[in-house]
Amino acid sequence: MTPNSANSSAACGFWAAGTSILALGAGLLGAGPPLLAWGLAGAAAVAVAGLAMRRRAVLWVACGLSAAAGFGLLMDVVALLFAQGVDDWAAAVLHALGLLGAVLLAGAARPRRTGPVVAPAPTAASRRVHLAAYGGAFAFVPYAVMKVTWALGGTFAGTGGEEMLAAYERNGASGLWLTLARWGLDGTALLAALGVFLLFGLVRPWGQVFPRWTLVLRGRRVPRWLPLGPALIGVGTLVPYGLFGVGYLTLASAGVVSVRAGDFHSSADAVLVGWIGFSAFAGYGLALLAATRSYWLRTRGVTAGP
C-alpha cells in the first residue's frame, strides 16, 4: 500500500466512524429525515466493509450511497445565504457529510499509481462537452428572464413583482435577499450567472491555470478542489432535483397529479413556473455533470518517469 493510498484509507476510515455515529444518533433521536440518517449510516457501513476487504467495487457502491445522501446540500447553502437559515440543521449536516464521504471514497477507490505524480498541461474539454456546456447555459435563459422580470417589477405567469416580493417576505427571506430584490436583482439569477461561470471554467483551460485577468494569481495552477467542490455540490443536488421535478410536472401536465397554486393565482401558473425552473435545473445539472467528469479526468495527475 502506497503512502497516498494509506492516507486515503485513513481519511475514509475517520469519515466512516464519525459519520456512522452521527447518522445513527440522528436516526435514533429523529433528527433530520429518517431515510437520510439511516441511508448515510448504511453508506458508512458499506465503506467500512470496503476498506476492510480492500475492494474498490464496494467502495464505489459506498461512494454512490454517500453521494445520494448529499442531495440537497446546494439548497441548504442557498437557504443559508438568502434566508433566515436552513430548514433543518441536522439534515444539512448529514447532506454535507454525504458529499464529503462521496469525495473521500472516490479518492480511495481510484487505482493507485507508483512514482511521482505531476499535473498535466491545461487542456480544453471535447467538442461534445462544450456543446453540453452551451446547452446548460442556455437552459438558464428562460429562468433568468422570469426572475429578472419579477425583480424589475414586471408580471410573469400572472404574478407581479410586488406580489412576488410580498411572497418572499411572507416566506421568511433574509434582508439580503429582499434588498437585492428591491434593487432589481434576483438572488437566484445571480447564482445562475455564477453557475454558468463555473460551467465554462470546467471546460476551458483557464479553469486549470489562472488567466491574466486574475492579476496576482495569473499563471498559477488552480487547485482541483476549487472548481470541483462547488461542481460536485451542484451535480449532487441539481441533477436529481431537476429530473424529479421534470418527471413530476410531466405527470401534472397529464392530469395524473395535482399542483398547488402556492404563491401564484392558479395551479396552471404554478405549473408554468415549475416547468421553467425545473427544466433549467435539469438541463444545467446534466451539463455540469458532463463538465465535472471531463474536468476530473483532464486534471488527474500523471505519473512521471519512464
Side-chain angles (χ1 to χ4, degrees):
M1 180 180 291
T2 64
N4 286 338
S5 177
N7 291 338
S8 296
S9 297
C12 284
F14 283 118
W15 170 84
T19 297
S20 60
I21 294 173
L22 290 174
L24 286 173
L28 293 173
L29 297 175
L35 181 61
L36 173 61
W38 294 114
L40 188 56
V46 175
V48 170
L51 291 171
M53 296 185 295
R54 298 187 181 181
R55 296 290 181 87
R56 289 201 298 267
V58 179
L59 291 177
W60 281 119
V61 171
C63 177
L65 294 173
S66 188
F71 167 71
L73 180 59
L74 179 60
M75 303 308 177
D76 296 330
V77 173
V78 173
L80 193 60
L81 288 174
F82 294 113
Q84 303 298 334
V86 297
D87 294 331
D88 188 332
W89 278 103
V93 171
L94 294 176
H95 289 154
L97 287 172
L99 196 63
L100 174 62
V103 173
L104 292 176
L105 288 163
R110 288 184 307 166
R112 296 300 162 189
R113 294 169 293 185
T114 58
V117 177
V118 297
T123 56
S126 66
R127 182 173 181 272
R128 181 177 299 178
V129 176
H130 268 86
L131 291 175
Y134 284 117
F138 282 118
F140 265 135
V141 171
Y143 180 81
V145 169
M146 176 182 70
K147 301 292 280 189
V148 171
T149 297
W150 281 328
L152 295 176
T155 299
F156 191 94
T159 302
E162 290 298 324
E163 292 177 280
M164 190 55 62
L165 182 60
Y168 293 153
E169 294 177 337
R170 187 167 58 250
N171 293 329
S174 68
L176 174 60
W177 181 284
L178 296 175
T179 299
L180 289 173
R182 293 189 181 101
W183 288 349
L185 299 172
D186 181 83
T188 52
L190 295 176
L191 289 176
L194 289 176
V196 171
F197 177 80
L198 170 64
L199 186 61
F200 284 101
L202 291 168
V203 301
R204 299 301 303 162
W206 57 263
Q208 299 168 55
V209 175
F210 287 106
R212 287 179 296 178
W213 47 264
T214 56
L215 302 179
V216 295
L217 294 175
R218 59 183 295 182
R220 298 186 182 182
R221 274 277 173 179
V222 176
R224 289 185 81 206
W225 58 264
L226 187 60
L228 283 176
L232 290 170
I233 294 175
V235 168
T237 297
L238 293 178
V239 171
Y241 182 73
L243 293 179
F244 175 82
V246 167
Y248 186 82
L249 288 173
T250 300
L251 296 177
S253 299
V256 178
V257 297
S258 60
V259 175
R260 294 186 300 106
D263 295 323
F264 303 98
H265 296 291
S266 68
S267 295
D269 292 335
V271 169
L272 172 61
V273 172
W275 270 116
I276 293 174
F278 284 116
S279 296
F281 300 146
Y284 174 81
L286 292 172
L288 186 63
L289 174 61
T292 301
R293 180 180 182 275
S294 173
Y295 187 91
W296 184 291
L297 295 175
R298 291 180 359 256
T299 57
R300 286 187 304 181
V302 295
T303 304

